[in-house]
């Protein structure tokens, strides 16, 4: 029988605080329809001062129950690496008490790093080198844009942990993958900068996302990919980008025309409640879709479009386990987030106020040699 590998469990961490984008735009005297109708964004998740990409990742792993001693590989996908030499994965490996006989490292390819990581772990299992162990893919990012720019309200943050194993309980993947790589000056984040640089107010980044769709899909078909999809999920920087992508895909996959509401709309609900979480965005879209479709998703085929600025993209397909039953409690977790007032958000951005988290893994500080210190509350 064919050996299979895929996602066996998903864990989530979202920051405690958010600002309502509608309230923020109204408070600024701007038209809130730019957010609701123009971009399809509702909330922006905000990190506390004592959180970072490492604490979010460790908290996402801790939300899962699994035999830690069975983990043989951890791949951390982020565009929020915190040291040019030391990987985020080393800190998380220690915080979560993972075994020493385990590979653990970071990968970087903007928002597509999570998909590169996923396939590295799947290939490790399918090659037999995993020796029946489990793999972990961590997607953890903070999306912060320059204050009062067009991109600002598409910010967000959060982490997703994907537990990867044989005979996956959630989703199994076909081996046909379409790849497309193209060096583009669209979006980048110079070392040491908190905010990404978005070229020409974001127009090249939208073009680059859409331009990569056709060649990656074409390559997927050339590599033996099947054209049958019950659902489609896309990297989701904000909902409107996905609406545009679905329309673009329907030009060369006419059978999906007019099916956005049944095939994709549910994948946009959770991302709209936290904003762009970069590497986790595609997998948050998947979780949102699965949570809302419930048991009707059993055995269904899902097409995935992963995109990372710069640019890297992959098109691939997965099949939901015919016995898939689990609910992630995703929307309950999102409901527990606490809203802050627009005026407090403005103070945060101007450096006049900070937020503090009191639960889970927290950053204690950074010593005078630049080494990071954490603890768990
Ligand atoms: P913007 O300044 O909000 O653009 O920037 P806009 O004012 O032109 O408005 C956007 C849409 O809202 C337009 O509709 C407007 O017409 C409409 P569209 O032409 O798209 O159909 N609109 C309104 N509608 C109703 N009522 C109104 C109203 N006002 C405007 N009053 C942009 C948008 C995406 C460029 C900006 O948010 C940005 O630069 N974001 C960051 C980059 C980004 O998200 N790019 C997306 C593709 S690349 C990607 O996804 C990768 C990424 O995740 C990073 C990575 O890989 O690491 C970002």
């Amino acid at each position: 029988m064919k050996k299979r590998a895929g996602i066996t469990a998903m864990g989530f961490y979202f920051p405690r605080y958010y600002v309502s984008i509608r309230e923020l735009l109204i408070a600024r005297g701007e038209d809130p329809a730019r957010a609701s109708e123009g971009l399809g964004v509702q909330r922006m998740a905000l990190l506390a001062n004592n959180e970072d990409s490492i604490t979010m990742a460790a908290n996402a792993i801790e939300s899962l129950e699994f035999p830690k001693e069975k983990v043989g590989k951890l791949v951390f996908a982020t565009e929020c690496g915190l040291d040019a030499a030391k990987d985020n994965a080393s800190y998380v490996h220690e915080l979560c008490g993972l075994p020493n006989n385990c590979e653990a490292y970071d990968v970087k390819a903007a928002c597509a790093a999570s998909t590169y990581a996923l396939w590295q772990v799947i290939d490790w299992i399918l090659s037999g080198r995993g020796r029946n162990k489990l793999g972990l893919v961590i997607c953890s990012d903070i999306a912060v844009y320059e204050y009062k720019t067009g991109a600002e309200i598409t910010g967000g943050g959060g982490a997703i942990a994907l537990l990867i194993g044989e005979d996956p309980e959630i989703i199994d993947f076909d081996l046909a993958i379409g790849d497309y790589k193209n060096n583009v000056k669209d979006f980048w984040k110079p070392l040491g900068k908190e905010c990404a640089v978005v070229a020409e107010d974001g127009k090249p980044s939208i073009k680059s996302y859409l331009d990569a769709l056709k060649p990656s899909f074409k390559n997927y078909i050339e590599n033996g990919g099947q054209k049958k999809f019950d659902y489609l999920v896309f990297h989701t920087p904000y909902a409107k980008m996905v609406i545009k992508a679905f329309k673009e895909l329907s030009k060369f996959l006419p059978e999906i025309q007019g099916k956005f509401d049944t095939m994709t709309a549910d994948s946009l609900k959770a991302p709209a409640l936290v904003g762009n979480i970069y590497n986790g965005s595609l997998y948050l879209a998947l979780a949102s879709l699965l949570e809302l479709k419930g048991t009707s998703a059993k055995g269904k085929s899902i097409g995935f479009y992963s995109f990372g600025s710069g640019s890297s993209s992959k098109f691939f397909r997965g099949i939901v386990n015919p016995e898939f039953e689990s609910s992630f409690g995703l929307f309950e977790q999102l409901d527990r987030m606490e809203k802050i007032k627009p005026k407090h958000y403005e103070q945060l951005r101007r450096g006049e106020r900070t937020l503090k988290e009191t639960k889970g893994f927290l950053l204690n500080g950074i010593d005078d040699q630049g080494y990071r210190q954490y603890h768990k509350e």
Side-chain angles (χ1 to χ4, degrees), residues 218-239:
K218 189 166 166 272
N219 189 235
Y220 163 76
I221 298 296
E222 284 161 0
N223 291 338
Q226 293 189 44
K227 272 190 180 175
K228 184 195 168 297
F229 305 104
D230 295 303
Y231 309 129
L232 286 160
V233 291
F234 299 79
H235 168 57
T236 306
Y238 53 91

Side-chain angles (χ1 to χ4, degrees), residues 13-18 45-53 55-56 142 157 194 340 348 353-359 361-363 372:
Y13 178 80
F14 304 112
R16 183 193 297 202
Y17 304 102
Y18 76 91
L46 302 165
L47 261 76
N49 258 27
N50 53 345
E51 295 187 288
D52 61 19
S53 54
T55 60
M56 289 200 297
I142 307 138
E194 189 190 26
I340 66 160
L348 280 176
R353 175 185 272 263
T354 54
L355 294 170
K356 201 165 186 285
E357 181 52 275
T358 52
K359 295 195 306 284
F361 289 105
L362 300 170
L363 175 69
R372 307 178 80 85

Side-chain angles (χ1 to χ4, degrees), residues 31 34 38 79 110-111 198 201 205 235 237-238 240 244 276 309:
D31 185 352
R34 181 166 85 86
E79 42 197 284
C111 299
V198 189
D201 293 330
S205 104
H235 168 57
Y238 53 91
K240 183 64 148 312
K244 287 182 201 246
N276 195 350
S309 293

